[in-house]
Amino acid sequence: MSAAPPRRVTIKDVAARAGVSKGAVSLAFNDRPGVSDATRDRIFQAARDLGWAPNVRARGLSSGARVDTIGLAICRPARLLGLEPFYMEFISGVESVLAERSCSLLLHLVRDVEEEIALQQRWWQGRQVGGSILVDFRENDPRVPALRAIGLPAVAVGHPSLTGGFTSVWTDDATAATEAVRYLAALGHRRIARVGGPAGLGHSAIRAKAFTEATRELGLADDLQIATGYEGEEGARATRSLLLMAERPTAVLYDNDIMAVAGTAVAAELGLSVPRDLSLLAWDDSQLCRLTHPPLSAMSHDVHGFGADVARTLFAVIDDGEARSHQVATPSLTPRGSTAPPQGQGVSRKVAPPESDPASGGLEAPLDAPADNTYDRRP
């Protein structure tokens, strides 16, 4: 005989735990006068302990909160966001669902996590949004306790190990990274490198760990990984550093398509042919991958559909107070012209550093350690 499902926590339970009336709980979560700061803190703590958040639809009807707008804050320089196909596709997927409900997206670029916390608090307490989409989670992300404390309805785009109890939607980055390494190894590559995103981001750490484990399991050469900030210039610098090694890699896996495209340019600059001398594999398949020559092999997934799924899940949280966390389809390998078995001459062939080109910023020194990529800057 199956156990009865747990009873849903209500505002009455929160009031009882905090030793106040239901009206006081309502005043606290609606940021209205009538309760002291100490009482408000006690109410929020009780809500956190019980895992309770107010029903946004009911709150909106009673207090005038905006339920026709959702928020999305992204920690990226504006110039990079405009070039990054992933977020353009993701946002278009979100917008496709908002259009069905005659809702709007409130998008804001922030410099760091602290700025985002303050922004989300203003949005929610100022009744500007009915809920938010949270992206780019880090380990022990400070947004989790801060935003749960105010009862913000949100969907987290990230693995549940990073998102602290928020409803989550995620892709299996570990499995995808492992598949990429195994594919390149099956082609015959023994020195495979990875040009990743910022080391502090949770999904970058997950991919890096899976890459290390896969290369060790397959008995491949040294664990060659460089962390970057996702920009084409940084991808080019990382690629140049790898290709000027005494024993250079014969295949490189990139964490996004912008850096992979930059990598093809560096290979040509150094006189290497793709894929004869060097195989390249991108993450987040996009039109960029199909327009390069040769077309880039990629770990493909439906980013537009991912954004739409996230938006629908957020509306389930807003409408019902809860929604099921779930994993979407794992990125799958799409082989194209940029990957092939390594040629004998390519494995041992050395390349000479090009002359410094002022227009391109010159030849950078090899990257001995991951760059500091906190995005704590504006363009």
Side-chain angles (χ1 to χ4, degrees):
M1 181 176 177
S2 60
R7 184 178 65 86
R8 179 178 294 184
V9 177
T10 67
I11 189 173
K12 183 178 179 181
D13 298 317
V14 175
R17 189 178 184 94
V20 298
S21 67
K22 291 193 297 181
V25 176
S26 179
L27 290 173
F29 274 94
N30 282 291
D31 198 26
R32 297 287 184 85
V35 293
S36 67
D37 289 341
T39 300
R40 192 185 307 274
D41 290 342
R42 192 165 73 251
I43 291 169
F44 287 161
Q45 184 60 55
R48 284 196 297 272
D49 293 343
L50 295 172
W52 180 86
N55 182 287
V56 182
R57 176 161 298 226
R59 175 176 171 168
L61 292 172
S62 64
S63 65
R66 296 291 299 273
V67 296
D68 61 348
T69 303
I70 65 170
L72 172 61
I74 301 176
C75 191
R76 290 284 195 285
R79 61 186 175 83
L80 176 59
L81 185 67
L83 296 172
E84 195 168 15
F86 173 85
Y87 270 119
M88 295 299 97
E89 282 289 304
F90 181 82
I91 290 171
S92 73
V94 171
E95 289 279 13
S96 69
V97 175
L98 299 186
E100 296 171 358
R101 301 179 61 122
S102 299
C103 292
S104 302
L105 177 67
L106 183 54
L107 174 65
H108 196 89
L109 304 185
V110 295
R111 290 170 293 187
D112 51 42
V113 173
E114 289 70 27
E115 183 178 343
E116 180 180 351
I117 290 172
L119 175 70
Q120 297 282 4
Q121 289 171 335
R122 288 198 305 273
W123 279 352
W124 180 238
Q125 293 171 346
R127 303 176 186 84
Q128 293 178 265
V129 298
S132 288
I133 296 170
L134 306 177
V135 298
D136 288 343
F137 274 80
R138 298 154 176 80
E139 292 187 9
N140 302 312
D141 198 301
R143 290 175 295 177
V144 172
L147 301 183
R148 286 184 67 84
I150 63 173
L152 174 72
V155 167
V157 179
H159 192 272
S161 63
L162 303 167
T163 57
F166 278 113
T167 297
S168 305
V169 182
W170 72 97
T171 58
D172 186 353
D173 286 338
T175 295
T178 300
E179 180 185 358
V181 173
R182 288 178 176 168
Y183 165 70
L184 293 170
L187 290 177
H189 295 279
R190 308 306 296 170
R191 290 184 63 79
I192 302 171
R194 173 178 169 266
V195 176
L201 290 182
H203 65 265
S204 292
I206 289 171
R207 294 178 190 180
K209 182 174 183 288
F211 182 91
T212 297
E213 291 176 350
T215 54
R216 288 177 179 172
E217 176 188 341
L218 295 169
L220 303 182
D222 297 339
D223 185 18
L224 302 174
Q225 299 193 64
I226 296 178
T228 72
Y230 284 134
E231 300 185 45
E233 292 87 349
E234 294 187 47
R237 288 183 62 232
T239 304
R240 195 175 290 116
S241 175
L242 290 166
L243 297 184
L244 292 176
M245 295 174 65
E247 292 186 73
R248 63 175 179 80
T250 60
V252 183
L253 169 64
Y254 294 87
D255 260 22
N256 74 1
D257 36 16
I258 295 176
M259 295 193 296
V261 171
T264 63
V266 171
E269 165 194 315
L270 297 178
L272 297 175
S273 173
V274 176
R276 186 191 66 200
D277 300 320
L278 180 68
S279 285
L280 304 178
L281 178 59
W283 206 290
D284 295 330
D285 195 8
S286 72
Q287 284 292 336
L288 281 179
C289 295
R290 293 182 281 277
L291 293 175
T292 58
H293 181 74
L296 283 166
S297 299
M299 300 306 295
S300 305
H301 62 123
D302 182 2
V303 179
H304 181 277
F306 187 30
D309 192 332
V310 169
R312 292 190 189 98
T313 305
L314 177 57
F315 280 118
V317 171
I318 292 173
D319 293 342
D320 304 324
E322 61 183 356
R324 181 180 61 86
S325 294
H326 58 279
Q327 176 185 308
V328 299
T330 301
S332 59
L333 179 69
T334 301
R336 297 195 182 97
S338 67
T339 49
Q343 300 299 309
Q345 70 272 25
V347 176
S348 59
R349 179 182 176 187
K350 294 183 179 180
V351 295
E355 294 183 1
S356 177
D357 180 4
S360 63
L363 178 65
E364 299 285 352
L367 302 181
D368 296 322
D372 179 12
N373 292 294
T374 59
Y375 295 118
D376 189 10
R377 64 189 187 276
R378 284 194 185 277

